[in-house]
Amino acid sequence: FSLKIFQRFNKKFNYKITQLKFRLYLKYYLRLSCLLREKVFCKVGANDGLTFDPCGKLLLNIKGWKGHLIEPIPFLYKRLLDNYKDKNRFSCHQLAIGKSRGEASIFCLTPDVKKKYPDLPYYWDQLASFSKGHIEKHFGDWVLPFIKTVKVKVLTLTDFCIDNSIEKIDFLHIDTEGHDLVVLDSLNFDSFKP
């Protein structure tokens, strides 16, 4: 009984903290939008660019923003392309950011898992990782038959910027399931100052 009360309290507490963080984030983002004339963003681990994304709708609606969205998982990349159709403002890239240029295996759940288990948590498709254990940690080993291995092109963030003639990044958004520090370490902060 006390565990259930604690879980309920913890869920409400975390929700309030998340709401506060989101409001602060929104305030910062809107101020940044007003301060800069030409605004360039880079989103690493973009998913579909909208689902539980704190800045997705803002990027679409504030016309001054242009940028790059990076998502390695094929079915999510397709949804990303559908959501960010304006080719003059947005460039979508199907690859991953890592320590060095090359190719790697990334693990994700297939959409079939949602068909078979419709009550899965909302974040089921947001857990792609270079570690298969990361997905198992969230759901258990019953998901093993639904884990797919995807071969992806990998670039450092600096190589990505050079390859795409990106001269500046004003806003860098990273959501890569525990891989965030690797992404940050792959950017040359002498050349780029988000």
Side-chain angles (χ1 to χ4, degrees), residues 109 121 123-124 126-127 132-143 177:
L109 288 172
Y123 56 84
W124 73 270
Q126 298 173 13
L127 295 177
K132 187 189 263 189
H134 183 72
I135 298 171
E136 288 179 69
K137 179 179 79 174
H138 284 274
F139 293 109
D141 60 1
W142 68 268
V143 296
E177 288 305 307

Side-chain angles (χ1 to χ4, degrees), residues 37-52:
R37 261 188 39 209
E38 283 189 31
K39 300 168 272 288
V40 179
F41 73 89
C42 184
K43 220 172 186 0
V44 182
N47 195 275
D48 68 5
L50 291 175
T51 304
F52 296 101

Side-chain angles (χ1 to χ4, degrees), residues 31-113:
R31 280 184 49 207
L32 186 63
S33 295
C34 294
L35 291 172
L36 302 170
R37 261 188 39 209
E38 283 189 31
K39 300 168 272 288
V40 179
F41 73 89
C42 184
K43 220 172 186 0
V44 182
N47 195 275
D48 68 5
L50 291 175
T51 304
F52 296 101
D53 187 316
C55 61
K57 288 184 180 173
L58 293 169
L59 291 172
L60 285 169
N61 294 326
I62 300 176
K63 300 295 182 200
W65 283 99
K66 291 183 177 187
H68 301 268
L69 299 104
I70 300 169
E71 175 54 50
I73 305 303
F75 75 93
L76 295 173
Y77 176 72
K78 185 180 179 311
R79 291 193 330 218
L80 183 67
L81 288 172
D82 290 341
N83 291 333
Y84 287 79
K85 294 178 183 173
D86 186 347
K87 303 285 186 230
N88 294 322
R89 292 180 54 212
F90 308 118
S91 182
C92 298
H93 308 269
Q94 188 177 354
L95 57 97
I97 300 297
K99 292 179 183 179
S100 60
R101 186 184 287 264
E103 190 176 86
S105 294
I106 195 165
F107 302 96
C108 66
L109 288 172
T110 65
D112 297 340
V113 73

